[in-house]
Each structure stands twice: as C-alpha cells, then as structure tokens.
Amino acid sequence: MIRPHVLLSVAVSVDGHIDDRGEARFPLSNAEDFDHVDRMRAESDAVLVGAGTVRRDNPRLLVNDAGRRAARVAAGRPEHPLKVTVSRAGELDPDRAFWHCGGGKLVYTAGSGAAAVAGLPGVEVVPLGP
C-alpha cells in the first residue's frame, strides 16, 4: 500500500486564530515563512486548498523561486505542483487566479456540483457522490 506524505501548512496567531472575520486577507506570515512555504510547495506533487480559500484569498499556488521551478523541471516534474480544491456545490468564480496560473487543476466536488465547474478549461473534475 502506498502511504502518501501529507504536509499541513497553516499560520496561527498567538491567540489560536488562522484568520480574522474581516473581508481583507489577514497575513500571519513574514518573508521567511513565505520562503519556507515556497520551498515546501516546490517539493510537493500537489497543493490542496478549500473552496473558501479560492474565493477569499484568490491564491495562485505557484512555486515563486525560479531556481526551484528549474529544479522541478530538471527532475522531470511540472514547473508547479497540481492545484487541488474541494467544493461541495462547485460555485467557484472562473476569474480567480487559481484557474489561470500554473499547471494542472483538480476539483473534487459532489456530483451535483460537477456541472458548475465542468466548463473551466484544463480542469479535471472528480464528482464524489450525489
């Protein structure tokens, strides 16, 4: 049996929060943290974010460092890891950066949400259940 290596990366404030309730993004990281995340992303096959993150943060989920991208390509891997999101309803804005930057995209959704994302170019949709 293959046992995947899973890494969870999350910034937490001193009082235990990962975000605030405001509309604007609430960064909890510094330049060193962002470089660490870029290094981990460069070592990963895929990056998973929830649909709420796609909606609110508009992530690109790219490997930013040119040397790390080159190393991925030299090793026979895509320049950027696969981008994956999970959405029950599939209600995801087609204009978000998630869809228009980097390599492959994968969406896990309920069967009823599959039609909502089926029209996005270059996106593999995996319906799970009704």
Side-chain angles (χ1 to χ4, degrees), residues 88 109-116 126-130:
R88 179 183 49 81
T109 184
S112 59
V126 179
L128 303 170

Side-chain angles (χ1 to χ4, degrees), residues 48-66:
L48 169 72
V49 295
T53 299
V54 172
R55 288 183 195 104
R56 183 170 179 188
D57 291 350
N58 196 21
R60 298 176 313 132
L61 303 179
L62 304 177
V63 176
N64 294 313
D65 183 87

Side-chain angles (χ1 to χ4, degrees), residues 20-65:
D20 69 354
R21 294 188 184 263
E23 292 297 316
R25 187 170 184 213
F26 185 66
L28 289 169
S29 301
N30 60 26
E32 185 179 337
D33 293 332
F34 288 125
D35 184 62
H36 177 75
V37 167
D38 193 62
R39 187 172 61 253
M40 294 296 99
R41 197 173 283 165
E43 295 173 4
S44 299
D45 294 320
V47 177
L48 169 72
V49 295
T53 299
V54 172
R55 288 183 195 104
R56 183 170 179 188
D57 291 350
N58 196 21
R60 298 176 313 132
L61 303 179
L62 304 177
V63 176
N64 294 313
D65 183 87

Side-chain angles (χ1 to χ4, degrees), residues 67-123:
R68 291 176 183 144
R69 289 193 312 270
R72 285 179 62 88
V73 172
R77 300 169 72 199
E79 189 175 23
H80 303 284
L82 177 69
K83 295 190 283 189
V84 183
T85 191
V86 179
S87 172
R88 179 183 49 81
E91 296 172 356
L92 297 162
D93 183 349
D95 293 330
R96 305 312 283 172
F98 183 91
W99 313 112
H100 301 286
C101 302
K105 291 96 179 159
L106 177 65
V107 177
Y108 288 102
T109 184
S112 59
V117 291
L120 292 169
V123 176

